[in-house]
Amino acid sequence: MNQPVSALSRSELEERLSALSCQYEDVRAKGMQLNMARGKPAASQLDLSMDLLHLPVDCTLEDGTDARNYGILDGISECRKLFADLLGLKPEQIIIGGNASLNTMFDTLASLVLFGTQGHKPWGRLQYEGHAVKFLCPVPGYDRHFTMCEELGIEMIPVPLLEDGPDMKMVSELAAANEDIKGIWCVPVHSNPQGVCYSDETVRALASMETAAGDFRIFWDNAYAIHHIYEEKSVLNIIEECEKAGHPDRPYFFFSTSKITFPGAGVSLISSSDANIKELKGHMKAQTIGHDKLNQLRHVQFFKTPENIRLHMKKLAGELRPKFDMVLNRFDAELKGSGLLEWHNPKGGYFVSVDTLPGCARRTVKLAKEAGVTLTEAGATWPYGKDPNDRNIRIAPSFPTIDELEKAVDIFILCVKIAGIEKLLEK
Amino acid sequence: MNQPVSALSRSELEERLSALSCQYEDVRAKGMQLNMARGKPAASQLDLSMDLLHLPVDCTLEDGTDARNYGILDGISECRKLFADLLGLKPEQIIIGGNASLNTMFDTLASLVLFGTQGHKPWGRLQYEGHAVKFLCPVPGYDRHFTMCEELGIEMIPVPLLEDGPDMKMVSELAAANEDIKGIWCVPVHSNPQGVCYSDETVRALASMETAAGDFRIFWDNAYAIHHIYEEKSVLNIIEECEKAGHPDRPYFFFSTSKITFPGAGVSLISSSDANIKELKGHMKAQTIGHDKLNQLRHVQFFKTPENIRLHMKKLAGELRPKFDMVLNRFDAELKGSGLLEWHNPKGGYFVSVDTLPGCARRTVKLAKEAGVTLTEAGATWPYGKDPNDRNIRIAPSFPTIDELEKAVDIFILCVKIAGIEKLLEK
């Protein structure tokens, strides 16, 4: 346990800062180039999927269709079945999308703006009529969700993400009171960035709450559904829960193989109620003849069964665990009890979310950058890039090698200490 | 040369119809299932690309990037360069898209509706304000272009497609007179369905004409740019011509490998002015981290050079030529001079466009369907599926085997004769 900085006198703080600054100058002089910015798998993880590149060996589908030719709007049935079995979904409620779920999410959100859903007015029309269409955004959250909303003119209301999911008291009060609140972003398993997994109560509350908007939608980005590192977590099935609660059209469930096989060369999916799937296919027909069936088949022939996917995830977790251990152990050793940093211990996913002292996140990221360590921009985990307390930073330990990571984490810790003590000395 | 039906007496026509009807009943009794509906490559064409399925062998890009991981919004530079060289475009003015250009076209059109372009008002905003945003649609044309417009609420004005491109007198008068006319669909090489190639005069007129709308856009769907069967055709570079004419932001150039390698598992691209590419990338950033780089690299390693792509196209043409020969020879033998059918002799592309006697297209397609031959719906080549004269039918000879095709064409010819003579007897 480290000494709390609050127990130090001003001169002790100054002395510490002076010593840390010397260390920092030494590090900066080395001109390193390290990156903990994005949740990218390491090359060693990608190596586990290389057999994909020799597939498919046979391009004829179960039903006799030649997968090399045009057709099949919603994806090949063997692929829908594989992911349905993996995720507890119904194959007929799945549409296989393109190379990444981000695009599927954007297209879905854009279709709500352009066309509306289930007879409700298009959100773009509401915007032109002067309504400020809004989404609830649990924070800290995923910057690319926020960018999508911003691009489509959807205002964002931050909602705290607690240990078991979004603050449901706040969510349900807001959703019930304002018909312009049209949806919520959720990363229900190993959330980006904190690694929060939604409790059953949270999922049931999301499914059953009353909403002023008849077309309130849950964007359920289950990016890390099976991405366990320390502990297997499962979360209630949002589609079933919404159906039980009488709101079958509320959820859109997204998933992809981006962090299972090759990011950006994978297979994505959307699942929802029968009515929503029918509606989405109606729009898709104008947009595409169908997504890449050979890549769908490639993934089916590579994995064959859901069990093999889970086994593959265990291997990937084996690659990630030492890196997460490294980050968390170094934090424990250097910062625990210091009062300079709070962090979550994720059970899976791709990130470690940390909170500096108030007002120190930007300074920490800037210091790290100048010392050769690129981090996700401070503020990125908040809508509009604005973290009101300037505290949250997202650490992505997956991409660097373990040696690089050790260097990067130690530089980061140094920067946390400097920024924190500088702040204390400002007072 | 066949006898013109106009020279036949009523009783001669009745006699013919009676004989044809007997033949038709014989054919129908066989219960065949033949398809000339969509421009799908035959299996024998797809077989020529099977080596793609063992690629890429090395996933490291020229600049050292690992193509297996996230990133590169606009596509890998080796792929942009390959297609730039092939098509006379600039690599920096190309964005590689997803698995088919249809999706790239839809996304581009949707971005104009949602966001507008180069500071002009979003077309969706104009629609909300009561403007009927319109596109000029050369007819007969490609049904999926029309579906896109319909989906996005863009009204369509049919414009005749002449032997050297759209009727430019009509196009330029309409575009100059009405600021709600925002664009035109063009398939400049081996057009779908007639196989028309735009003359230099047409391309220059499209590039230089005055338009009332400052944000008039040419959707240049160059789907068949290198898909020559009988004769190599080249058409002026629309991007260069628009730049010369002082309207650099007017064209969006689309292309894909759908009918080069595997339809729906290919690589698409959009090219435009620097300003438009910058704008499109700005929107793309909210939509995707990037398209499938492994598939881009797969295509680059498969083809290596533009010359190899052209050689590959020659092989594909060798597969298609006997099929087009079959259709055109049978038409010549059975219908030339009869007055019952007019058709184009395409030099490339995927279709033979035919015109029946007025009011006979639907009946012909229906007769063929009942005799086991599926054709593209009559009317599909016109906006809203409404061919005012009920004349045009699109024949797609590529997919069936030559034996199937012979049967299908003979049934089609039979149906043309029956529908035509029925119509003459109505008078």
Side-chain angles (χ1 to χ4, degrees):
Chain A
M1 186 68 90
N2 295 280
Q3 192 180 14
V5 282
S6 57
L8 299 179
S9 68
R10 190 164 185 91
S11 66
E12 283 171 319
L13 287 173
E14 280 167 352
E15 200 175 312
R16 282 233 185 160
L17 183 58
S18 166
L20 292 164
S21 297
C22 280
Q23 281 180 50
Y24 180 80
E25 286 312 316
D26 287 349
V27 164
R28 190 162 69 167
K30 289 183 188 160
M32 286 189 274
Q33 283 206 318
L34 302 163
N35 196 313
M36 296 196 295
R38 306 292 322 177
K40 290 170 74 169
S44 60
Q45 291 175 273
L46 304 176
D47 289 344
L48 298 173
S49 294
M50 288 304 281
D51 285 347
L52 268 174
L53 300 184
H54 309 290
L55 297 171
V57 286
D58 179 353
C59 300
T60 307
L61 302 180
E62 286 165 355
D63 68 359
T65 304
D66 187 344
R68 301 172 304 173
N69 221 323
Y70 285 114
I72 313 190
L73 188 66
D74 55 355
I76 65 173
S77 64
E78 35 273 76
C79 191
R80 285 187 289 113
K81 185 170 185 316
L82 176 65
F83 289 118
D85 289 349
L86 178 72
L87 300 164
L89 303 171
K90 295 179 184 166
E92 67 275 16
Q93 289 186 339
I94 288 178
I95 299 173
I96 305 290
N99 70 321
S101 56
L102 195 73
N103 210 324
T104 311
M105 289 180 224
F106 182 90
D107 285 357
T108 306
L109 197 59
S111 86
L112 293 163
V113 173
L114 283 166
F115 312 118
T117 178
Q118 305 304 341
H120 292 270
K121 215 180 257 194
W123 298 355
R125 177 110 203 160
L126 289 174
Q127 288 168 333
Y128 286 134
E129 288 173 1
H131 289 264
V133 171
K134 293 179 182 71
F135 253 58
L136 302 175
C137 297
V139 283
Y142 179 33
D143 55 348
R144 289 184 183 272
H145 292 161
F146 305 152
T147 304
M148 254 181 247
C149 279
E150 217 174 336
E151 173 82 355
L152 291 165
I154 296 170
E155 290 186 14
M156 293 174 272
I157 304 174
V159 170
L161 186 65
L162 310 178
E163 289 302 321
D164 61 349
D167 179 340
M168 282 310 300
K169 185 165 179 296
M170 190 168 167
V171 166
S172 53
E173 282 174 10
L174 284 166
N178 186 343
E179 65 174 349
D180 288 342
I181 295 180
K182 293 293 186 188
I184 185 169
W185 283 109
C186 295
V187 182
V189 182
H190 306 308
S191 75
N192 175 353
Q194 303 96 314
V196 162
C197 296
Y198 288 21
S199 68
D200 293 357
E201 293 67 36
T202 299
V203 179
R204 289 201 185 99
L206 281 164
S208 63
M209 68 182 180
E210 291 308 314
T211 63
D215 51 355
F216 185 95
R217 291 291 178 265
I218 298 172
F219 273 64
W220 195 254
D221 180 2
N222 216 338
Y224 307 104
I226 54 170
H227 299 56
H228 316 301
I229 300 174
Y230 295 104
E231 199 177 317
E232 294 227 355
K233 290 284 188 178
S234 73
V235 162
L236 282 183
N237 182 319
I238 189 69
I239 295 179
E240 282 176 16
E241 293 303 319
C242 285
E243 200 178 323
K244 277 189 224 164
H247 305 123
D249 300 333
R250 184 173 287 180
Y252 295 116
F253 179 116
F254 301 95
F255 180 77
S256 87
T257 64
S258 285
K259 287 179 182 104
I260 299 177
T261 58
F262 299 131
V267 171
S268 68
L269 69 82
I270 179 170
S271 182
S272 191
S273 67
D274 293 340
N276 281 351
I277 290 294
K278 188 179 169 207
E279 181 175 80
L280 288 168
K281 281 187 201 169
H283 296 309
M284 267 183 84
K285 264 194 283 189
Q287 187 175 13
T288 177
I289 304 176
H291 291 289
D292 185 341
K293 294 187 297 300
L294 290 180
N295 208 32
Q296 294 167 27
L297 191 56
R298 190 173 283 133
H299 281 76
V300 169
Q301 292 183 4
F302 181 64
F303 285 121
K304 296 182 185 73
T305 66
E307 293 69 37
N308 286 337
I309 300 180
R310 293 186 191 281
L311 201 64
H312 182 83
M313 295 313 291
K314 287 215 166 77
K315 290 184 205 162
L316 293 180
E319 297 287 325
L320 286 170
R321 206 174 300 111
K323 296 182 179 179
F324 278 76
D325 284 348
M326 161 76 71
V327 173
L328 297 167
N329 291 341
R330 296 298 298 143
F331 284 178
D332 269 349
E334 291 290 325
L335 293 164
K336 197 169 185 180
S338 72
L340 288 169
L341 196 75
E342 293 172 14
W343 61 93
H344 288 75
N345 286 305
K347 306 297 179 210
Y350 258 71
F351 303 102
V352 179
S353 176
V354 305
D355 287 304
T356 64
L357 289 182
C360 290
R362 277 176 205 284
R363 173 70 178 152
T364 303
V365 169
K366 185 163 183 278
L367 282 168
K369 180 86 192 165
E370 286 170 7
V373 176
T374 305
L375 296 162
T376 309
E377 280 303 312
T381 55
W382 281 71
Y384 312 106
K386 287 180 192 158
D387 175 357
N389 299 310
D390 186 25
R391 294 192 63 191
N392 190 253
I393 301 173
R394 186 183 81 164
I395 305 281
S398 55
F399 188 67
T401 63
I402 198 92
D403 289 345
E404 290 167 342
L405 186 66
E406 183 168 22
K407 289 194 189 88
V409 171
D410 283 345
I411 294 171
F412 175 72
I413 288 168
L414 185 60
C415 298
V416 166
K417 290 178 179 173
I418 292 172
I421 295 175
E422 280 176 351
K423 180 60 69 180
L424 291 170
L425 286 169
E426 273 175 24
K427 284 172 187 165
Chain B
M1 186 69 89
N2 297 279
Q3 193 180 14
V5 284
S6 58
L8 299 178
S9 69
R10 191 168 184 90
S11 66
E12 283 170 320
L13 287 173
E14 281 167 350
E15 201 175 309
R16 285 233 185 159
L17 183 58
S18 166
L20 292 165
S21 298
C22 280
Q23 282 181 48
Y24 180 80
E25 286 312 317
D26 287 349
V27 165
R28 190 161 68 167
K30 290 182 188 159
M32 285 188 275
Q33 283 206 319
L34 301 163
N35 195 312
M36 296 195 295
R38 304 291 325 174
K40 290 169 73 168
S44 60
Q45 291 174 274
L46 303 176
D47 289 344
L48 298 174
S49 295
M50 288 304 282
D51 285 345
L52 267 175
L53 301 183
H54 309 290
L55 296 171
V57 286
D58 179 354
C59 300
T60 307
L61 302 180
E62 287 166 354
D63 69 358
T65 305
D66 187 344
R68 301 173 304 174
N69 221 323
Y70 285 113
I72 312 190
L73 188 66
D74 55 354
I76 65 173
S77 64
E78 35 271 77
C79 191
R80 285 186 288 115
K81 185 169 184 319
L82 176 65
F83 290 118
D85 289 349
L86 178 72
L87 300 164
L89 302 171
K90 295 180 184 165
E92 67 275 17
Q93 289 187 339
I94 288 177
I95 298 172
I96 304 292
N99 69 322
S101 56
L102 196 73
N103 210 324
T104 311
M105 288 180 227
F106 182 90
D107 285 357
T108 306
L109 198 59
S111 85
L112 293 164
V113 172
L114 284 166
F115 313 118
T117 177
Q118 305 305 341
H120 293 269
K121 217 180 252 195
W123 297 357
R125 174 103 211 169
L126 290 174
Q127 289 168 333
Y128 169 72
E129 289 173 359
H131 289 264
V133 171
K134 294 179 182 72
F135 253 57
L136 302 175
C137 297
V139 283
Y142 179 33
D143 55 348
R144 289 186 184 271
H145 291 162
F146 304 152
T147 304
M148 254 182 244
C149 278
E150 217 173 336
E151 173 83 353
L152 292 166
I154 296 170
E155 291 186 14
M156 292 173 273
I157 303 174
V159 170
L161 186 65
L162 310 177
E163 290 301 321
D164 60 350
D167 179 338
M168 283 311 301
K169 186 167 178 296
M170 190 169 167
V171 166
S172 53
E173 281 174 10
L174 284 165
N178 186 342
E179 65 174 351
D180 288 343
I181 296 180
K182 293 293 188 188
I184 185 169
W185 283 108
C186 296
V187 183
V189 181
H190 306 308
S191 77
N192 175 354
Q194 303 97 313
V196 162
C197 297
Y198 288 21
S199 68
D200 293 356
E201 292 67 38
T202 300
V203 178
R204 289 203 185 99
L206 282 164
S208 63
M209 68 183 181
E210 291 307 313
T211 62
D215 51 355
F216 185 94
R217 291 290 178 265
I218 298 172
F219 275 62
W220 195 255
D221 180 2
N222 216 338
Y224 308 105
I226 55 169
H227 299 56
H228 316 302
I229 299 174
Y230 295 105
E231 198 177 315
E232 294 227 356
K233 289 283 188 180
S234 74
V235 161
L236 283 183
N237 182 320
I238 189 69
I239 295 178
E240 282 176 14
E241 292 304 319
C242 285
E243 200 178 322
K244 276 189 226 165
H247 305 124
D249 300 334
R250 184 173 288 179
Y252 295 116
F253 180 116
F254 302 95
F255 179 78
S256 87
T257 64
S258 285
K259 289 182 182 101
I260 299 177
T261 59
F262 300 130
V267 171
S268 68
L269 70 82
I270 180 170
S271 182
S272 191
S273 66
D274 293 340
N276 281 350
I277 290 295
K278 188 180 169 204
E279 182 175 81
L280 289 167
K281 281 188 201 169
H283 297 309
M284 267 183 86
K285 264 194 284 189
Q287 187 175 14
T288 177
I289 304 177
H291 292 290
D292 186 340
K293 293 186 298 297
L294 289 180
N295 208 32
Q296 294 167 26
L297 191 56
R298 190 174 281 132
H299 281 75
V300 169
Q301 292 183 4
F302 181 63
F303 285 120
K304 296 183 185 73
T305 66
E307 293 68 38
N308 287 337
I309 301 180
R310 293 186 191 280
L311 200 66
H312 182 84
M313 295 313 292
K314 286 213 166 79
K315 292 183 204 162
L316 293 179
E319 297 286 326
L320 287 170
R321 207 174 299 112
K323 297 183 178 178
F324 278 76
D325 284 348
M326 163 76 71
V327 173
L328 296 167
N329 291 340
R330 296 297 300 143
F331 284 178
D332 269 349
E334 291 290 325
L335 293 164
K336 198 169 185 180
S338 72
L340 288 168
L341 196 75
E342 292 171 16
W343 62 92
H344 288 74
N345 287 304
K347 306 300 179 206
Y350 258 70
F351 304 102
V352 179
S353 176
V354 305
D355 287 304
T356 64
L357 289 182
C360 290
R362 277 177 205 284
R363 174 70 178 151
T364 304
V365 170
K366 185 163 182 278
L367 283 167
K369 180 88 194 163
E370 287 170 6
V373 176
T374 305
L375 296 162
T376 308
E377 281 302 313
T381 55
W382 281 70
Y384 312 105
K386 287 180 191 158
D387 174 357
N389 300 309
D390 185 25
R391 293 192 64 191
N392 190 252
I393 300 173
R394 187 183 79 166
I395 307 280
S398 55
F399 188 68
T401 63
I402 197 92
D403 289 345
E404 291 167 341
L405 186 66
E406 183 168 21
K407 292 193 187 88
V409 171
D410 283 344
I411 294 171
F412 174 72
I413 289 168
L414 186 59
C415 298
V416 167
K417 290 178 179 173
I418 292 173
I421 295 174
E422 281 176 350
K423 180 59 68 179
L424 291 169
L425 285 169
E426 273 176 23
K427 286 174 187 168

